[in-house]
Coordinates of all heavy atoms in Angstrom, one line a residue:
M1 N 23.2 56.1 -10.3 CA 23.7 54.8 -10.8 C 22.9 53.9 -9.9 O 23.1 53.8 -8.6 CB 25.0 54.7 -10.8 CG 25.5 53.3 -11.3 SD 27.3 53.0 -10.9 CE 27.7 52.4 -12.5
A2 N 22.2 52.9 -10.5 CA 21.5 51.8 -9.7 C 22.5 50.8 -9.3 O 23.5 50.4 -10.0 CB 20.3 51.4 -10.6
Y3 N 22.2 50.3 -8.3 CA 23.0 49.2 -7.7 C 22.6 47.8 -8.3 O 21.3 47.5 -8.2 CB 23.1 49.1 -6.2 CG 23.7 50.2 -5.6 CD1 22.9 51.4 -5.1 CD2 25.1 50.4 -5.4 CE1 23.5 52.5 -4.5 CE2 25.7 51.5 -4.9 CZ 25.0 52.6 -4.5 OH 25.4 53.6 -3.9
P4 N 23.6 47.1 -8.9 CA 23.0 45.7 -9.3 C 22.3 44.9 -8.3 O 22.8 44.7 -7.1 CB 24.3 45.0 -9.8 CG 25.2 46.1 -10.0 CD 24.8 47.1 -9.0
G5 N 21.2 44.3 -8.5 CA 20.6 43.4 -7.6 C 19.7 44.2 -6.5 O 19.0 43.5 -5.8
K6 N 19.6 45.4 -6.6 CA 18.7 46.1 -5.6 C 17.3 45.7 -5.7 O 16.6 45.6 -4.8 CB 18.8 47.6 -5.8 CG 18.1 48.4 -4.6 CD 18.4 49.9 -4.8 CE 17.5 50.5 -3.7 NZ 17.8 52.0 -3.4
R7 N 16.8 45.6 -7.0 CA 15.4 45.3 -7.2 C 15.3 43.9 -6.6 O 14.2 43.7 -5.9 CB 15.1 45.3 -8.7 CG 13.8 44.8 -9.0 CD 13.5 44.7 -10.6 NE 13.9 45.8 -11.3 CZ 12.9 46.5 -12.1 NH1 11.7 46.2 -12.1 NH2 13.3 47.6 -12.7
E8 N 16.2 42.9 -6.9 CA 15.9 41.6 -6.4 C 15.9 41.5 -4.8 O 15.1 40.7 -4.2 CB 17.0 40.7 -6.9 CG 16.8 40.4 -8.5 CD 17.5 41.6 -9.3 OE1 18.3 42.3 -8.8 OE2 17.2 41.7 -10.4
G9 N 16.8 42.3 -4.3 CA 16.9 42.4 -2.9 C 15.6 42.9 -2.1 O 15.0 42.5 -1.1
L10 N 15.2 44.1 -2.7 CA 13.9 44.6 -2.4 C 12.8 43.6 -2.5 O 11.9 43.4 -1.6 CB 13.7 46.0 -3.2 CG 12.4 46.6 -2.7 CD1 12.6 47.2 -1.3 CD2 12.3 47.9 -3.6
A11 N 12.7 43.0 -3.7 CA 11.6 42.1 -4.0 C 11.7 40.8 -3.0 O 10.6 40.4 -2.5 CB 11.8 41.6 -5.4
Q12 N 12.8 40.4 -2.6 CA 13.0 39.3 -1.7 C 12.5 39.7 -0.3 O 11.8 39.0 0.5 CB 14.5 38.9 -1.6 CG 14.6 37.7 -0.8 CD 16.2 37.3 -0.7 OE1 17.0 37.9 -1.2 NE2 16.3 36.1 -0.1
K13 N 12.8 40.9 0.1 CA 12.3 41.4 1.5 C 10.8 41.5 1.5 O 10.2 41.2 2.5 CB 12.9 42.8 1.7 CG 14.5 42.7 2.1 CD 15.0 44.2 2.3 CE 16.5 44.0 2.6 NZ 17.1 45.3 2.9
V14 N 10.2 42.0 0.4 CA 8.8 42.1 0.4 C 8.2 40.8 0.5 O 7.1 40.5 1.1 CB 8.3 42.9 -0.9 CG1 6.8 42.8 -1.1 CG2 8.7 44.4 -0.7
D15 N 8.7 39.9 -0.4 CA 8.2 38.4 -0.4 C 8.2 37.8 1.0 O 7.3 37.2 1.5 CB 9.0 37.6 -1.3 CG 8.6 37.8 -2.8 OD1 7.6 38.3 -3.1 OD2 9.4 37.4 -3.7
T16 N 9.4 38.0 1.7 CA 9.5 37.5 3.1 C 8.6 38.2 4.1 O 7.9 37.4 4.8 CB 11.0 37.7 3.6 OG1 11.9 37.2 2.7 CG2 11.2 37.3 5.0
A17 N 8.3 39.4 4.0 CA 7.3 40.1 4.8 C 5.9 39.6 4.5 O 5.1 39.4 5.4 CB 7.4 41.6 4.5
A18 N 5.7 39.3 3.3 CA 4.3 38.8 2.8 C 4.1 37.4 3.3 O 3.0 37.1 3.8 CB 4.2 38.8 1.3
Q19 N 5.1 36.6 3.3 CA 5.0 35.2 3.8 C 4.8 35.3 5.3 O 3.9 34.5 5.8 CB 6.1 34.5 3.5 CG 6.3 34.1 2.2 CD 7.8 33.5 1.8 OE1 8.7 33.3 2.7 NE2 7.9 33.3 0.4
E20 N 5.4 36.2 5.9 CA 5.2 36.2 7.4 C 3.9 36.8 7.9 O 3.1 36.3 8.8 CB 6.3 37.2 8.1 CG 6.3 37.2 9.6 CD 6.7 36.0 10.3 OE1 7.0 35.0 9.7 OE2 6.3 36.0 11.5
A21 N 3.3 37.9 7.0 CA 2.0 38.4 7.3 C 0.9 37.2 7.0 O 0.0 37.2 7.9 CB 1.9 39.6 6.3
E22 N 1.2 36.4 6.0 CA 0.2 35.3 5.7 C 0.3 34.4 6.9 O -0.8 33.9 7.2 CB 0.6 34.7 4.4 CG -0.3 33.7 4.0 CD 0.0 33.2 2.5 OE1 1.2 33.3 2.1 OE2 -0.9 32.7 1.9
R23 N 1.4 34.0 7.3 CA 1.6 33.0 8.4 C 0.8 33.6 9.8 O 0.3 32.7 10.3 CB 3.0 32.9 8.7 CG 3.4 31.8 9.8 CD 4.7 31.7 10.1 NE 5.2 32.8 11.0 CZ 4.9 32.9 12.3 NH1 4.3 32.2 13.0 NH2 5.5 34.0 13.0
L24 N 0.9 34.9 9.9 CA 0.2 35.4 11.0 C -1.3 35.7 10.8 O -2.1 36.1 11.6 CB 0.8 36.8 11.4 CG 2.4 36.6 12.0 CD1 2.9 38.0 12.1 CD2 2.3 35.9 13.2
G25 N -1.9 35.4 9.6 CA -3.3 35.5 9.3 C -3.6 37.0 8.9 O -4.8 37.5 9.1
L26 N -2.6 37.9 8.6 CA -2.8 39.2 8.4 C -3.2 39.4 6.8 O -2.2 39.7 6.1 CB -1.6 40.1 8.7 CG -1.1 40.0 10.2 CD1 0.2 40.7 10.4 CD2 -2.4 40.5 11.2
T27 N -4.4 39.1 6.5 CA -4.8 39.1 5.0 C -4.7 40.3 4.5 O -4.2 40.4 3.2 CB -6.2 38.6 4.9 OG1 -7.1 39.4 5.7 CG2 -6.2 37.0 5.4
T28 N -5.0 41.5 5.1 CA -4.8 42.8 4.4 C -3.3 43.3 4.2 O -3.1 43.7 3.0 CB -5.4 43.9 5.2 OG1 -6.9 43.6 5.5 CG2 -5.4 45.3 4.5
A29 N -2.6 42.8 5.0 CA -1.2 43.1 5.1 C -0.6 42.3 3.9 O 0.4 42.8 3.1 CB -0.4 42.9 6.3
T30 N -0.9 41.1 4.0 CA -0.5 40.1 2.7 C -0.9 40.6 1.4 O 0.0 40.7 0.4 CB -1.0 38.7 3.0 OG1 -0.8 38.3 4.3 CG2 -0.6 37.8 1.9
L31 N -2.1 41.1 1.3 CA -2.5 41.6 0.0 C -1.7 42.9 -0.4 O -1.3 43.0 -1.6 CB -4.0 42.0 0.0 CG -4.6 42.6 -1.2 CD1 -4.5 41.7 -2.4 CD2 -6.1 43.0 -1.0
I32 N -1.5 43.8 0.5 CA -0.8 45.0 0.2 C 0.7 44.7 -0.2 O 1.3 45.3 -1.2 CB -0.8 45.9 1.5 CG1 -2.1 46.4 1.7 CG2 0.2 47.1 1.4 CD1 -2.4 47.2 2.9
L33 N 1.3 43.7 0.5 CA 2.7 43.3 0.3 C 2.8 42.7 -1.2 O 3.7 42.8 -1.9 CB 3.3 42.5 1.3 CG 3.5 43.1 2.7 CD1 3.6 42.2 3.7 CD2 4.8 44.1 2.5
R34 N 1.8 41.8 -1.4 CA 1.8 41.2 -2.9 C 1.6 42.3 -3.8 O 2.3 42.2 -4.9 CB 0.6 40.1 -2.9 CG 0.8 39.0 -2.0 CD 1.9 38.0 -2.3 NE 1.9 37.0 -1.4 CZ 3.1 36.4 -1.1 NH1 4.3 36.7 -1.7 NH2 3.1 35.3 -0.2
M35 N 0.7 43.2 -3.6 CA 0.6 44.2 -4.7 C 2.0 45.2 -4.7 O 2.4 45.4 -5.8 CB -0.5 45.3 -4.2 CG -1.9 44.6 -4.4 SD -3.3 45.5 -3.6 CE -3.1 47.1 -4.3
A36 N 2.6 45.3 -3.6 CA 3.8 46.1 -3.6 C 4.9 45.2 -4.5 O 5.8 45.9 -5.2 CB 4.4 46.3 -2.2
R37 N 4.9 43.9 -4.4 CA 5.8 43.0 -5.1 C 5.4 43.3 -6.6 O 6.4 43.3 -7.5 CB 5.6 41.6 -4.8 CG 6.2 40.6 -5.7 CD 7.7 40.6 -5.5 NE 8.3 39.4 -6.2 CZ 9.4 39.3 -6.7 NH1 10.3 40.3 -6.6 NH2 9.7 38.3 -7.2
L38 N 4.2 43.3 -7.0 CA 3.9 43.6 -8.4 C 4.4 45.0 -9.1 O 5.0 44.9 -10.0 CB 2.4 43.5 -8.6 CG 1.8 42.0 -8.4 CD1 0.2 42.2 -8.6 CD2 2.3 41.0 -9.5
E39 N 4.3 45.9 -8.1 CA 4.8 47.2 -8.5 C 6.4 47.1 -8.6 O 6.9 47.8 -9.5 CB 4.4 48.3 -7.4 CG 3.0 48.6 -7.6 CD 2.6 49.2 -8.7 OE1 3.4 50.1 -9.3 OE2 1.5 48.9 -9.2
I40 N 7.0 46.4 -7.8 CA 8.5 46.4 -7.8 C 8.9 45.7 -9.2 O 9.7 46.2 -10.0 CB 9.1 45.5 -6.8 CG1 8.9 46.4 -5.5 CG2 10.6 45.2 -7.0 CD1 9.2 45.4 -4.2
D41 N 8.1 44.7 -9.6 CA 8.4 44.0 -10.8 C 8.1 44.7 -12.1 O 8.8 44.7 -13.0 CB 7.6 42.7 -11.0 CG 8.0 41.6 -10.0 OD1 9.1 41.7 -9.4 OD2 7.1 40.7 -9.8
R42 N 7.1 45.8 -12.0 CA 6.7 46.6 -13.1 C 7.7 47.9 -13.1 O 7.7 48.5 -14.1 CB 5.3 46.8 -13.1 CG 4.4 45.8 -13.3 CD 2.9 46.1 -13.2 NE 2.7 47.5 -13.3 CZ 1.4 48.1 -12.8 NH1 0.6 47.2 -12.6 NH2 1.3 49.3 -12.8
A43 N 8.2 48.2 -12.1 CA 9.0 49.6 -11.9 C 10.2 49.6 -12.8 O 10.9 48.6 -13.0 CB 9.4 49.8 -10.5
E44 N 10.5 50.7 -13.3 CA 11.7 51.0 -14.0 C 12.9 51.0 -13.0 O 12.6 51.4 -11.9 CB 11.6 52.3 -14.8 CG 10.7 52.3 -16.0 CD 10.9 51.3 -17.0 OE1 12.1 51.2 -17.3 OE2 9.9 50.8 -17.5
P45 N 14.1 50.7 -13.4 CA 15.2 50.7 -12.5 C 15.4 51.9 -11.7 O 15.7 52.0 -10.6 CB 16.5 50.4 -13.4 CG 15.9 49.7 -14.5 CD 14.4 50.3 -14.8
E46 N 15.1 53.1 -12.4 CA 15.2 54.5 -11.7 C 14.2 54.7 -10.5 O 14.4 55.3 -9.6 CB 15.1 55.7 -12.7 CG 16.2 55.7 -13.7 CD 16.0 54.8 -14.9 OE1 14.9 54.3 -15.2 OE2 17.1 54.4 -15.5
E47 N 13.0 54.1 -10.8 CA 12.0 54.2 -9.8 C 12.4 53.3 -8.6 O 12.0 53.7 -7.5 CB 10.7 53.6 -10.4 CG 10.0 54.6 -11.4 CD 8.7 54.1 -12.0 OE1 8.6 52.8 -12.1 OE2 7.9 54.9 -12.4
V48 N 12.9 52.1 -8.7 CA 13.4 51.3 -7.7 C 14.4 52.0 -6.9 O 14.4 52.0 -5.6 CB 13.8 49.9 -8.2 CG1 14.5 49.1 -7.0 CG2 12.7 49.2 -8.8
E49 N 15.3 52.7 -7.5 CA 16.5 53.4 -6.8 C 15.9 54.4 -6.0 O 16.4 54.8 -5.0 CB 17.4 53.9 -7.9 CG 18.5 54.7 -7.4 CD 19.4 53.7 -6.5 OE1 19.6 52.6 -6.9 OE2 20.1 54.3 -5.7
S50 N 14.8 55.2 -6.4 CA 14.2 56.3 -5.6 C 13.2 55.8 -4.5 O 12.7 56.7 -3.8 CB 13.6 57.2 -6.6 OG 12.4 56.7 -7.2
M51 N 12.9 54.5 -4.5 CA 11.9 54.0 -3.5 C 12.6 54.3 -2.1 O 13.7 54.2 -1.8 CB 11.7 52.6 -3.6 CG 10.8 52.2 -4.7 SD 10.4 50.5 -4.9 CE 9.4 50.5 -6.3
P52 N 11.8 54.8 -1.1 CA 12.3 55.1 0.1 C 12.7 53.8 1.0 O 12.2 52.6 0.8 CB 11.0 55.7 0.9 CG 9.9 55.2 0.2 CD 10.3 55.1 -1.2
R53 N 13.8 53.9 1.7 CA 14.3 52.9 2.6 C 13.8 53.0 3.9 O 13.9 54.0 4.6 CB 15.8 52.8 2.6 CG 16.4 52.6 1.2 CD 17.9 52.6 1.3 NE 18.4 52.6 0.0 CZ 19.7 52.4 -0.3 NH1 20.5 52.4 0.8 NH2 20.2 52.4 -1.5
N54 N 13.0 52.0 4.4 CA 12.5 52.0 5.8 C 13.2 50.9 6.6 O 12.6 49.8 6.7 CB 11.1 51.8 5.7 CG 10.2 52.9 5.0 OD1 10.7 54.0 5.2 ND2 9.1 52.6 4.5
N55 N 14.4 51.3 7.0 CA 15.2 50.4 7.8 C 14.8 50.4 9.2 O 15.3 51.4 9.9 CB 16.6 50.5 7.4 CG 17.5 49.4 8.2 OD1 17.0 48.6 9.0 ND2 18.8 49.4 8.0
L56 N 13.9 49.6 9.8 CA 13.6 49.7 11.1 C 14.6 49.4 12.1 O 14.6 49.8 13.4 CB 12.2 48.7 11.5 CG 11.1 49.0 10.5 CD1 10.1 47.9 10.8 CD2 10.7 50.4 10.8
R57 N 15.6 48.9 11.7 CA 16.9 48.6 12.7 C 17.8 49.8 12.8 O 18.6 49.6 13.8 CB 17.7 47.4 12.1 CG 16.8 46.1 12.1 CD 17.6 45.0 11.6 NE 16.7 43.8 11.2 CZ 16.9 43.0 10.5 NH1 18.1 43.0 9.7 NH2 16.2 42.0 10.0
S58 N 17.7 50.7 12.0 CA 18.8 51.8 12.1 C 18.1 52.9 13.1 O 17.0 52.9 13.5 CB 18.9 52.5 10.8 OG 17.7 53.1 10.3
K59 N 19.1 53.7 13.5 CA 18.7 54.7 14.6 C 17.9 55.8 13.8 O 18.2 56.2 12.6 CB 20.1 55.4 15.1 CG 20.9 54.4 15.9 CD 22.1 55.1 16.3 CE 23.1 54.2 17.0 NZ 24.3 54.9 17.3
P60 N 17.0 56.4 14.4 CA 16.3 57.5 14.0 C 17.2 58.7 13.7 O 18.1 58.8 14.5 CB 15.1 57.9 14.9 CG 15.4 57.1 16.1 CD 16.5 56.1 15.8
N61 N 16.8 59.5 12.7 CA 17.7 60.8 12.5 C 17.4 61.8 13.5 O 16.6 62.0 14.1 CB 17.3 61.4 11.1 CG 17.8 60.3 10.0 OD1 18.7 59.6 10.2 ND2 17.2 60.5 8.8

């Protein structure tokens, strides 16, 4: 079962990262993040649910 708003939350995180990359002048990273945002918008809900979570703040397994 997909969680409501997961797509929006993921999209918001990608947008924030893209803005930061742009601010830092990282053009390649900005382009990649913008492309990822397009993929999120086009993805079916099941695909978004299965996208890996890369939480850098959590402890490694």
Side-chain angles (χ1 to χ4, degrees):
M1 173 186 234
Y3 296 99
K6 182 172 182 181
R7 181 188 303 242
E8 291 82 15
L10 183 61
Q12 184 178 10
K13 288 178 184 180
V14 170
D15 285 341
T16 301
Q19 289 170 0
E20 185 65 12
E22 187 173 26
R23 185 184 72 78
L24 294 172
L26 303 173
T27 54
T28 302
T30 302
L31 176 61
I32 291 168
L33 289 162
R34 297 291 181 207
M35 290 170 53
R37 171 66 168 154
L38 291 173
E39 288 298 317
I40 292 168
D41 289 343
R42 292 181 11 196
E44 296 297 321
E46 296 80 26
E47 291 174 332
V48 174
E49 183 64 29
S50 67
M51 287 180 177
R53 295 181 186 186
N54 293 330
N55 187 350
L56 300 176
R57 296 182 197 151
S58 66
K59 295 180 193 174
N61 292 336

